[in-house]
Amino acid sequence: MNLLIKSATIVDPNSPFHLQVTDILIENGVITEIGANLTSDAESFDATGKYLLPGFFDLNCNIGELGYETKEDLHSGTAAAAAGGFTGLALMPNTAKPVHSKAEVEYLVNKSKGSLVDVVPLGAISYKREGKDMAEMYDMYQSGARAFTDGNHPVQDAGLMERALLYAHGFNALIFSYPEDTAIAGKAKVNEGEVSTLLGMKGIPSLAEELMVARDLYLSEYTNSPIHFSTISTWRSVDLIRQARARGLKVTCDVAAHHLVLTDDALMGFDSLYKVKPPLRIQKDVDALIAGLKDGTIDAIVTQHTPHEVEYKNVEFEIAEYGIIGLQTAFSLALKAGLSIEMIAEKLSVNPRKIIGTPLICVAEDAYANFTVVDLQQDWEYTKDNNLSKSYNSPFIGQTLRGQVLLTCNNNQLFKS
């Protein structure tokens, strides 16, 4: 793949060309030259007024393989990822056959070879994600898993979480915690508050999340092991993690893009497309999440891409499945939340790779071309026609969003919107 990008503003804190407006020449998938007024016989792309960032990396993506291919398969999932500017995905083990042994990890690694998008499987902490017996984490690590989580099954057994932290730390792997105390959350479907009262629905209190954040922070401190919290959603969770970092704990965390722009007010119409977990919270929580991103407490933004067939979402709110698809909208939502392009590069490109431990990428000469080109001012309509996922469970389909991904490049392949 040969391409000459003209007059792009590079946004990459690891690059010597950070914030410079320059030309970039890519030959056979490698950046061979960066400078002014470059010429080449290669195809040219005018990026005047546009920004070139390292390719995005998603730390929380659900793709149906193995077993739920009708929701999403690797082909459709990586296509949607490329359209959203993502060149790397960490896949949650929430599949029909959980990713709890090296066989599933090796399948995903081998099946995804040759794709524009790099795929990193996340292995389960427990066998079958049942929260009882520890899974074969070291075998999975040897086969390509770089972190471990029970996905959307929170680990209720404190002893199991303690053992997992100690064991994974022994071979420099990372444990992801999805913080929810199921005894507190119960069978409720929405955030506990004024909206749940108005809707006449039992709510999930913020306490259900915050208790688990506090517990796992104590376990991380006790075992001297790093921990990563997935999709925190409340102001107190942000505050607990901020205090832990100030004490020197090795803790990182992320937030889902939709939690930065939506509150539980969106549920007033009982639209199941807004049914997610953690549930949409109140404006105080949204403000705290954005503040946490800006002060460095929250390290990354994730899509929490969760595809479902229409029959699982177009039903009564109480019985609808949780989750929305988010690979193609995460960048626009980050912009809508008021984040700068430099912060977006940090939270979507740089920090996720640091957390997961994959090689950092850099927009520099002689480096492999791994980037996305975006237009901050371009409006685009998200429709069923340009949605590349197999599923359509997004409340943003039919809406006009600002901030478009124009190009995504990786592994000597190019995606154009």
Side-chain angles (χ1 to χ4, degrees), residues 71-89:
K71 300 178 185 291
E72 193 86 279
D73 57 29
L74 281 168
H75 177 75
S76 62
T78 53
F86 289 89
T87 59
L89 299 175

Side-chain angles (χ1 to χ4, degrees), residues 289-302:
L289 293 170
I290 294 172
L293 284 166
K294 291 181 177 180
D295 70 16
T297 301
I298 301 176
D299 302 271
I301 298 170
V302 300

Side-chain angles (χ1 to χ4, degrees), residues 31 106 184 191 208 273 301:
I31 299 173
E106 289 171 358
I184 300 293
N191 178 61
L273 289 176
I301 298 170

